[in-house]
Amino acid sequence: MSKPRIAVTMGDPAGIGPEIVYRAVNSLKVQRVCSPVVFGTVITNDELRMEPAPERLNRGNQRRTANNGNYEFIAASNVGKVALGKPSKKAGIAAYSAIKAAAQFCLDGKADALVTAPVSKESFKLAGVNYPGHTELLQALTKSKNAAMMMVCGNIHSVMVTRHIPLSEVSKRLKSKDIVETVSLAVSFLNKSEDKTKNKDVLSLPSLHSSVKIALCGLNPHAGDNGILGKEEKKIIFPAYEILKKSGFNISKPLPADSAWLKTKNGEFGLICGMYHDQIMIPLKCIDAKKIVNVTAGLPFVRTSPGHGTAFDIAGKGKADADAMIESILYAAEKAITNYE
């Protein structure tokens, strides 16, 4: 069987994306399992060594391509030099163009999975890209009905119901329907379900009867203490639990988040569902920040990303750690065939 072809975006060119992508696609671990196709901008910063030598580019082709033996390079934009270490409109345009081109590449069946380097939400905003992150952007680009943001760290699988919103908004935006959708998408992905959830009304719920044991976090301390510390568990989270339980999901009642995490870390649960971003990310980064892989469930192809940001403070200094990028590519290569073959 031939190696899967993996589309890889360089992320925000002002951050560490080009550096970690370059190191990852040239690593032996990645070369053994897949054939990378890197999407970037025509001119990247020379010190990051992401663009192939100019003489190897086809200057007559708007989407310039090159192949250095270890990876293929496709230029999705030409924004010129980008100032390192800070967000900018040019950087946002370059990052968005790479994502759009790479996603279409996957939709056209030219790659088996997509791996994205970190982007800056501020650069996106300056470029007029009105999406808070990759998950929402890729959901729109692929016309997927639903998408969930999963985080994988070794044997720990986690998913968050709300993502990039202010903490003050979480209680207002949290809905039973969203909890049900999020858990359903995550379990479908983990079960390698042939029933593509994106083509169904999630609330009709595929009959999974999953062996995946799910820890459902409460929102408030002590999961609300029976309403003393908050009403969200009774009004929103428990009703979602009842829908999921009746549909065959092996899921806990709302648990205090600290207890849910301890039990998950100890192997009692195969998936933990948190209500907001930091309820998932803080424990994961304490467990092993270098191993976190961001996975988007609900797309027509596998998409992963390292679980860290652009690290503007060390951009261009040769200090970036590519371990999480390598993990993301390895995970994508493994799942690309098993989930969507």
Side-chain angles (χ1 to χ4, degrees):
M1 183 173 62
S2 60
K3 292 189 293 186
R5 205 174 186 206
I6 307 297
V8 182
T9 65
M10 72 173 188
D12 191 306
I16 63 170
E19 183 180 343
I20 61 173
V21 168
Y22 180 84
R23 292 181 184 179
V25 298
N26 284 290
S27 72
L28 288 177
K29 286 182 179 180
V30 167
Q31 288 294 315
R32 287 192 189 105
V33 300
C34 70
S35 299
V37 183
V38 177
F39 288 78
T41 185
V42 172
I43 301 174
T44 57
N45 299 281
D46 294 337
E47 64 268 28
L48 298 183
R49 300 187 300 165
M50 192 62 247
E51 187 194 28
E55 64 270 20
R56 305 180 75 172
L57 295 174
N58 177 5
R59 294 296 180 184
N61 187 341
Q62 187 177 1
R63 291 182 71 215
R64 299 166 188 174
T65 65
N67 195 317
N68 77 343
N70 287 342
Y71 62 89
E72 182 182 353
F73 182 91
I74 297 178
S77 66
N78 184 359
V79 298
K81 288 280 186 177
V82 174
L84 288 175
K86 60 182 181 181
S88 68
K89 179 179 179 179
K90 289 202 301 183
I93 292 171
Y96 171 75
S97 299
I99 297 165
K100 185 177 179 182
Q104 190 59 52
F105 200 72
C106 292
L107 289 172
D108 291 342
K110 296 178 182 178
D112 301 293
L114 171 63
V115 180
T116 58
V119 296
S120 162
K121 294 171 182 61
E122 192 172 348
S123 290
F124 266 11
K125 185 176 180 180
L126 291 169
V129 180
N130 296 315
Y131 294 95
H134 277 109
T135 305
E136 296 81 6
L137 174 56
L138 287 167
Q139 182 179 346
L141 289 174
T142 60
K143 297 180 172 62
S144 299
K145 185 174 181 180
N146 303 292
M149 186 173 174
M150 293 178 57
M151 291 290 174
V152 180
C153 185
N155 293 325
I156 297 175
H157 294 80
S158 60
V159 67
M160 56 189 74
V161 179
T162 65
R163 298 185 287 265
H164 299 116
I165 63 173
L167 190 58
S168 60
E169 295 290 317
V170 171
S171 180
K172 301 173 190 175
R173 299 198 201 180
L174 194 63
K175 296 180 176 66
S176 298
K177 173 180 177 289
D178 293 338
I179 298 170
V180 172
E181 288 178 347
T182 299
V183 171
S184 179
L185 284 167
V187 174
S188 293
F189 183 90
L190 293 175
N191 280 353
K192 306 176 183 65
S193 174
E194 292 300 320
D195 181 4
K196 298 295 187 292
T197 309
K198 72 181 185 65
N199 293 325
K200 290 176 67 81
D201 177 359
V202 178
L203 289 183
S204 66
L205 290 177
S207 180
L208 295 173
H209 301 286
S210 169
S211 60
V212 178
K213 192 174 179 182
I214 309 152
L216 184 64
C217 292
L219 175 66
N220 298 296
H222 308 296
D225 253 352
N226 201 29
I228 296 173
L229 299 179
K231 307 294 184 184
E232 289 85 358
E233 282 76 16
K234 283 188 171 183
K235 291 183 177 180
I236 302 169
I237 304 174
F238 192 82
Y241 155 78
E242 290 186 310
I243 294 170
L244 290 162
K245 191 70 174 178
K246 288 176 182 176
S247 300
F249 289 83
N250 187 1
I251 189 167
S252 74
K253 292 180 180 179
L255 297 171
D258 53 356
S259 298
W261 265 112
L262 181 61
K263 292 174 185 294
T264 300
K265 184 177 181 293
N266 290 339
E268 293 182 42
F269 293 98
L271 174 70
I272 181 169
C273 177
M275 298 300 113
Y276 59 95
H277 183 276
D278 284 8
Q279 197 175 52
I280 293 297
M281 293 308 301
I282 291 173
L284 283 179
K285 289 196 173 183
C286 290
I287 291 168
D288 194 343
K290 292 183 179 181
K291 294 289 185 180
I292 300 172
V293 176
N294 181 348
V295 181
T296 305
L299 302 181
F301 49 79
V302 174
R303 176 262 167 175
T304 68
S305 182
H308 60 71
T310 54
F312 283 141
D313 58 320
I314 60 169
K317 297 180 180 179
K319 298 179 180 179
D321 192 325
D323 284 356
M325 191 72 198
I326 292 171
E327 287 290 326
S328 298
I329 297 175
L330 297 180
Y331 188 90
E334 176 189 350
K335 297 296 181 183
I337 297 174
T338 56
N339 278 36
Y340 298 98
E341 62 187 351

